[in-house]
Amino acid sequence: IIENANKAFEQQIISIINTTVRGDLANFFLEKKEIRDFLNLAQKELIVRNKETVLVTKENKEIPVSISFGPKKDGKGDLTGYFVGITDISVLKEIQQKTEERIKRRTKDLEESRRAVLNILEDTEAAKLQIEQEKSKTQIILDNFVDGLLIFSSDGKLGSINPRVEEFLDVKREEILGQSMA
């Protein structure tokens, strides 16, 4: 049973839940059994407990709150009641919900980006494989060409030769590759 309430409770909470302060604390909340169980636990353990729950207004509006229970003891250490703190966390819950929605959207965007990157990577791997196959085919053609072939880069350096050049010039490929025409 609520015995006393401070001004903030009277001004902010009582005006929205009931016209009187007296009554069973659990009646003001959506989860009545949970609140009673929570009070019992605080009584047994004699420690401060915090819980998020939902406060129900006299218009049946639901307000998310954080409620704290602390044991109230007399001079002998005997339990005489509880100190209860109720904090409206509506704004916090709204921010939390919006943040979770942004995280979900961002996660979805990142998943889509990941899929796009994987597709690009697959396309790149396929193109790389095709280039390697073409290079192998070209090398087979060059290696089996009847004439001697020397291939120079745009800056005039020897980039490749076929086996016939090695035979004609009596040189090893490694000895002359990279040399300049001049």
Side-chain angles (χ1 to χ4, degrees):
I1 304 295
I2 299 173
E3 292 179 2
N4 293 313
N6 67 5
K7 287 273 188 214
F9 185 82
E10 288 176 1
Q11 292 170 351
Q12 296 175 5
I13 305 295
I14 295 301
S15 63
I16 61 173
I17 59 174
N18 244 337
T19 55
T20 179
V21 174
R22 301 220 180 264
D24 183 355
L25 179 66
N27 289 337
F28 300 128
F29 297 94
L30 190 63
E31 299 107 356
K32 294 170 185 24
K33 184 183 178 322
E34 269 187 58
I35 296 298
R36 286 189 187 101
D37 291 347
F38 200 61
L39 276 168
N40 289 335
L41 184 62
Q43 180 182 358
K44 287 178 189 171
E45 296 181 1
L46 297 177
I47 60 173
V48 175
R49 293 275 179 181
N50 298 304
K51 176 173 184 42
E52 286 186 14
T53 187
V54 178
L55 182 74
V56 180
T57 69
K58 59 187 170 186
E59 292 86 21
N60 286 326
K61 180 180 175 191
E62 296 178 3
I63 301 173
V65 295
S66 174
I67 185 166
S68 302
F69 299 98
K72 179 181 168 190
K73 301 175 188 176
D74 61 13
K76 298 177 187 175
D78 294 329
L79 182 68
T80 60
Y82 304 95
F83 293 104
V84 180
I86 302 172
T87 306
D88 182 350
I89 56 173
S90 302
V91 173
L92 179 64
K93 287 295 183 183
E94 185 179 323
I95 290 170
Q96 182 181 13
Q97 182 181 4
K98 287 179 181 176
T99 301
E100 287 172 1
E101 288 170 6
R102 282 196 308 267
I103 289 171
K104 284 179 186 176
R105 281 194 310 269
R106 183 68 179 135
T107 301
K108 182 181 175 186
D109 291 346
L110 289 172
E111 276 297 318
E112 289 173 2
S113 295
R114 180 181 164 272
R115 278 193 295 275
V117 168
L118 287 175
N119 287 339
I120 290 170
L121 183 59
E122 286 175 8
D123 292 348
T124 302
E125 285 296 317
K128 181 180 172 186
L129 182 61
Q130 185 177 2
I131 289 170
E132 288 174 2
Q133 289 172 345
E134 291 298 319
K135 182 179 175 184
S136 292
K137 289 177 188 176
T138 303
Q139 191 62 47
I140 290 170
I141 292 170
L142 290 176
D143 288 346
N144 292 306
F145 209 72
V146 184
D147 297 326
L149 293 174
L150 295 103
I151 302 171
F152 290 90
S153 64
S154 61
D155 61 354
K157 294 193 179 189
L158 185 59
S160 183
I161 63 171
N162 70 351
R164 292 295 284 175
V165 170
E166 289 179 302
E167 288 175 26
F168 289 151
L169 300 179
D170 193 28
V171 294
K172 296 281 184 206
R173 177 184 309 252
E174 301 82 35
E175 295 172 356
I176 62 171
L177 287 182
Q179 291 185 8
S180 180
M181 251 177 40

